[in-house]
Amino acid sequence: MPGTPRPVFTRSLLSPRLWPAWIGVGVMKLIAMLPYGMLMGIGRVLGAIIERVPSPRREVAAINVGLCFPELDAKAQTELVDAHLRDIGMMLMEFALGWMGSDRAIARIPVTVEGLEHLEAAHAQGRGVLLVGGHFSHLELCARLVSQRIRIAGMYRRMDNPVFEWTVLRARLGYARAMFDKDDIRGTVKYLRNGGTLWYAPDQDMRSKDNAFVPFFGVTAATIKATHHLARMSQSLVIPFFHRRLPDNKGYALRLGAPLENLPSDDADADTARVNLAIEQMVREAPEQYLWVHKRFKTRPEGQPQIY
């Protein structure tokens, strides 16, 4: 199986400078042992605190929301930012559960999955599938949830801290079929050509040399063209994949859409714009659950002023 191998524990991970990271890992492990309802309750309390604490990330979220939802008045925009900051408390709990939760705990979480017939049809044709989604707060947990039903691989960016890199990669490889470094294009294409399913979220400003400046909520956004290139080189289908958290601890709704028609085309920029539009449609269904604190519009076209 191609992909990043399971990480090996080395003595360097015991360096005193890494002890705070190990404490953080231990806290996540303890959190993940709590019942799902209790976790969500703690997340709501933590989110209420995050909402009230001044932070530069609030300013980033406010700028993003103002750009992406100009149709909302100032009060409605502020309410959306507040709701998103509260959602971050839930996100932290979901990270811990997704990475550290036992299989039994994950199996107890209510979840519905729609659109699996699109994936089955693709596999019946012997085609690989790119499940394209966005950076929602529950991304990691929903990756774990969907892996209970379909065998998926993921593409990821290495973490700077070696303790978290070792811990999280081991966790992901516990439920994913494979994990591919974002620069491992050859391995990723080989996996897709062999009929694999890869979950990929191309909606962050990666500061890549291979960006297209295309609209996202009507705002020019530097967007990596990897979806086009991966689909073209592997002849995979591109299927939108959306997930949202339901209210009142009712779990999660996951949905696979129909494959995007005629993608890849001969126009990489146009394909990249279509992917952005698909993700935008997902965001509009659960806007408070999208990662607005990310500087999505940091890279600007030449001559345009900085936004943040």
Side-chain angles (χ1 to χ4, degrees):
M1 174 62 65
T4 305
R6 191 174 181 85
V8 177
F9 189 91
T10 62
R11 290 179 61 87
S12 63
L13 291 171
L14 298 177
S15 170
R17 69 181 179 85
L18 298 177
W19 290 356
W22 283 116
I23 293 172
V25 169
V27 170
M28 284 195 295
K29 183 65 175 177
L30 291 174
I31 288 172
M33 295 172 66
L34 298 174
Y36 176 71
M38 184 179 296
L39 273 176
M40 294 297 97
I42 294 173
R44 283 188 285 270
V45 171
L46 184 58
I49 295 172
I50 293 172
E51 177 193 357
R52 289 168 172 77
V53 175
S55 166
R57 289 297 173 179
R58 170 181 278 277
E59 297 178 21
V60 172
I63 291 170
N64 286 337
V65 168
L67 288 171
C68 295
F69 294 94
E71 70 275 14
L72 299 180
D73 60 27
K75 181 174 182 293
Q77 289 181 2
T78 299
E79 289 174 349
L80 178 52
V81 172
D82 288 344
H84 171 59
L85 294 174
R86 292 193 300 271
D87 195 76
I88 290 177
M90 311 284 277
M91 177 183 73
L92 297 175
M93 299 298 105
E94 289 161 331
F95 273 139
L97 186 56
W99 289 333
M100 305 288 186
S102 67
D103 289 341
R104 180 178 296 181
I106 296 298
R108 291 196 185 108
I109 299 173
V111 59
T112 61
V113 183
E114 298 180 10
L116 286 176
E117 66 274 12
H118 300 303
L119 185 65
E120 293 166 357
H123 288 168
Q125 301 173 35
R127 304 282 293 277
V129 171
L130 275 166
L131 291 181
V132 173
H135 279 80
F136 290 85
S137 56
H138 31 70
L139 181 149
E140 290 286 346
L141 178 55
C142 286
R144 181 90 180 265
L145 291 170
V146 78
S147 70
Q148 294 179 315
R149 291 155 177 82
I150 58 177
R151 295 292 287 162
I152 62 168
M155 182 170 278
Y156 78 107
R157 180 169 49 184
R158 290 181 62 87
M159 295 186 173
D160 294 331
N161 186 290
V163 170
F164 287 117
E165 171 65 15
W166 183 86
T167 302
V168 173
L169 182 55
R170 280 176 59 90
R172 287 168 169 166
L173 287 174
Y175 59 82
R177 191 176 183 188
M179 292 299 301
F180 295 92
D181 184 278
K182 64 181 181 63
D183 296 321
D184 184 11
I185 303 301
R186 178 177 295 181
T188 305
V189 169
K190 180 178 180 181
Y191 170 78
L192 289 168
R193 281 180 176 172
N194 289 332
T197 300
L198 180 80
W199 187 0
Y200 181 51
D203 61 325
Q204 290 198 334
D205 190 335
M206 305 294 290
R207 312 201 76 171
S208 169
K209 294 180 181 179
D210 192 30
N211 278 335
F213 286 104
V214 294
F216 183 60
F217 281 88
V219 183
T220 301
T223 308
I224 192 167
K225 301 179 186 179
T227 306
H228 164 86
H229 294 313
L230 289 173
R232 178 181 57 82
M233 289 187 288
S234 67
Q235 292 301 302
S236 297
L237 297 176
V238 178
I239 290 181
F241 179 45
F242 173 57
H243 43 92
R244 65 186 177 94
R245 185 191 314 108
L246 302 175
D248 303 322
N249 297 342
K250 292 181 180 178
Y252 302 84
L254 284 57
R255 185 176 73 248
L256 284 70
L260 298 180
E261 295 184 4
N262 301 318
L263 199 158
S265 70
D266 294 331
D267 189 334
D269 286 13
D271 288 350
T272 304
R274 289 184 64 197
V275 170
N276 269 5
L277 179 59
I279 295 173
E280 176 183 332
Q281 292 168 343
M282 300 176 196
V283 174
R284 290 187 182 278
E285 293 189 38
E288 74 284 355
Q289 297 177 24
Y290 189 64
L291 196 64
W292 295 113
V293 294
H294 169 67
K295 293 182 178 180
R296 181 65 185 90
F297 308 107
K298 185 174 183 177
T299 303
R300 308 306 303 146
E302 186 175 353
Q304 288 196 15
Q306 292 298 310
I307 287 177
Y308 306 105

